[in-house]
Amino acid sequence: MQSKTEEARSLLRCPTCRASLDWSPGAAACTSCSARYPIESGVVRFIDETDDFYEGAYDRQIHFSESSATGVTGKLKSWAFFNLAQSGVIGEVRRVLPDGGRIVDLGCAGGITWFGERGTAIGVELSVASLKLAAQIYAATLQAYVTELPICDESVDVVYSSYLWEHLTPETKSNLLAETARILRPGGSTVIQCDTLGDNLISRYARHDPEKYEKGFIDNDGHIGLEPGSKLLDRLRDAGFTIKRVMKLNTTVFQYPSTYGWLDLSYGDEVKWVRTLGNAAQWMLNSKAGLPIELAVTAFDRAINPISKLDAATRVVVTAVRS
Ligand SMILES: C[S@@+](CC[C@H](N)C(=O)[O-])C[C@H]1O[C@@H](n2cnc3c(N)ncnc32)[C@H](O)[C@@H]1O
Ligand SMILES: [Zn+2]
């Protein structure tokens, strides 16, 4: 039987000429042009440089094993993982990724264990250090641009990205959606979780001084492409996708702790209540309190989803289908 690695490798193509690749332990070689892509600790390097901003910057790895979630506590944990953790985005993936299906995780950082267990997962990233972590759980890990995917046409069930969209310029976003549509099989889905330019009490306050807003909310994380949620839906429709589900998150003052961390970076030096909230947020992020608070905020957001406004959201999760 073909292993998941063999299956993933059979889908990979030379990004220069789209021909198939010949595999040896140290490199993948194009069968048509002379390109040779080195393999380093399981990472196939389609780019021969490292990115100054992103190399080693994000290394989050999400662990959860559905098979070991047994008994009442296990079932409860499982429910929370799919419905509340990560804004419920992995539950959205579970709806559209068949057992044994193929998923591409764009901007994957350290990866998500459940994707590797559910099916054949391919991670795409700029950071080699992050990809080396993802290589422990994914069938293939590629150092490649999300705008030039070395993956063949109509070959995968789901294209997933979490907190990548807001890091991309408008031109890159269009290229990414074109590449997503190209590699998805007809009827395949894309699931996108991202930060958005929300219009709510907190973000209006955050934006009252554009220079300070930029310091905490844009420059700190490279959020060069923050846009309202409705703009993401427009872009998806323009690229030929049908919107299936939208989750609006952080539409009120109840936001994830990271928002209050960014607010602190912007205004904490001069506004005392902002610093106090920032310190509380930092404490939550560093302690066990962070997770239950994030889950509670998500539960609240989900409860008010029928009445909350898309462009009030500071975060969204969108599922869209390629026709
Ligand atoms: C904010 S991190 C999110 C990481 C992870 N998905 C998560 O939810 O924790 C964004 C990731 O996207 C990657 N990235 C940004 N631009 C990219 C591009 N053009 N091509 C490939 N990866 C990119 C970065 O290296 C970074 O690890
Ligand atoms: Zn080639």
Side-chain angles (χ1 to χ4, degrees):
M1 206 178 90
Q2 202 184 27
S3 73
K4 285 189 180 185
T5 300
E6 283 165 350
E7 182 190 347
R9 286 183 171 183
S10 74
L11 308 178
L12 303 187
R13 296 289 179 270
C14 172
T16 313
C17 72
R18 296 265 165 89
S20 60
L21 301 166
D22 262 344
W23 295 87
S24 65
C30 177
T31 53
S32 174
C33 72
S34 57
R36 193 176 170 278
Y37 305 104
I39 304 174
E40 216 179 284
S41 306
V43 178
V44 192
R45 298 195 58 181
F46 289 102
I47 306 173
D48 61 6
E49 54 192 17
T50 49
D51 187 275
D52 288 345
F53 187 81
Y54 288 115
E55 182 53 48
Y58 296 92
D59 60 1
R60 182 162 65 153
Q61 192 166 50
I62 298 175
H63 297 286
F64 171 79
S65 175
E66 208 174 0
S67 51
S68 58
T70 52
V72 178
T73 326
K75 294 277 171 281
L76 260 174
K77 266 194 190 160
S78 183
W79 182 86
F81 179 73
F82 290 111
N83 291 283
L84 301 181
Q86 287 297 301
S87 314
V89 69
I90 301 169
E92 292 301 306
V93 173
R94 188 165 62 162
R95 288 169 187 273
V96 290
L97 178 65
D99 237 333
R102 296 167 179 167
I103 180 165
V104 174
D105 181 351
L106 301 175
C108 64
I112 299 175
T113 321
W114 183 80
F115 290 173
E117 284 181 1
R118 173 81 160 192
T120 298
I122 300 177
V124 179
E125 241 306 326
L126 294 179
S127 163
V128 179
S130 308
L131 284 163
K132 284 182 182 172
L133 290 173
Q136 301 161 352
I137 53 182
Y138 285 176
T141 44
L142 322 176
Q143 190 201 19
Y145 297 109
V146 292
T147 45
E148 206 181 320
L149 295 172
I151 299 171
C152 62
D153 296 358
E154 303 195 346
S155 60
V156 305
D157 298 288
V158 176
V159 174
Y160 167 89
S161 67
S162 160
Y163 299 120
L164 166 76
W165 186 252
E166 65 274 24
H167 292 255
L168 307 177
T169 60
E171 195 201 353
T172 314
K173 288 184 204 289
S174 315
N175 294 341
L176 163 71
L177 290 183
E179 281 292 81
T180 301
R182 180 182 67 77
I183 68 167
L184 275 176
R185 65 164 171 78
S189 301
T190 185
V191 179
I192 298 176
Q193 159 162 258
C194 63
D195 289 320
T196 44
L197 195 63
D199 184 14
N200 56 56
L201 212 59
I202 294 295
S203 55
R204 279 199 290 278
Y205 175 78
R207 288 207 291 267
H208 77 267
D209 182 331
E211 228 169 81
K212 296 207 166 77
Y213 174 73
E214 193 139 333
K215 181 179 169 204
F217 285 77
I218 313 275
D219 296 348
N220 179 53
D221 260 319
H223 287 167
I224 52 168
L226 269 184
E227 287 179 344
S230 56
K231 185 78 191 166
L232 165 59
L233 301 197
D234 289 344
R235 287 187 189 279
L236 278 163
R237 289 190 192 103
D238 288 349
F241 287 88
T242 304
I243 310 297
K244 283 289 164 189
R245 283 168 60 87
V246 180
M247 249 195 287
K248 298 156 272 177
L249 299 143
N250 296 203
T251 53
T252 70
V253 292
F254 299 117
Q255 304 254 327
Y256 295 155
S258 52
T259 301
Y260 291 98
W262 296 330
L263 205 60
D264 186 15
L265 272 174
S266 294
Y267 299 102
D269 288 343
E270 70 216 51
V271 186
K272 213 168 156 206
W273 66 264
V274 170
R275 177 58 36 96
T276 308
L277 275 176
N279 286 341
Q282 198 51 51
W283 172 80
M284 284 172 204
L285 289 168
N286 295 339
S287 75
K288 287 200 161 111
L291 183 61
I293 285 171
E294 192 164 320
L295 301 190
V297 172
T298 307
F300 174 74
D301 284 332
R302 291 187 76 119
I304 64 165
N305 217 53
I307 53 159
S308 57
K309 290 201 169 64
L310 175 60
D311 283 345
T314 314
R315 286 159 182 109
V316 296
V317 172
V318 177
T319 304
V321 177
R322 173 202 193 276
S323 39

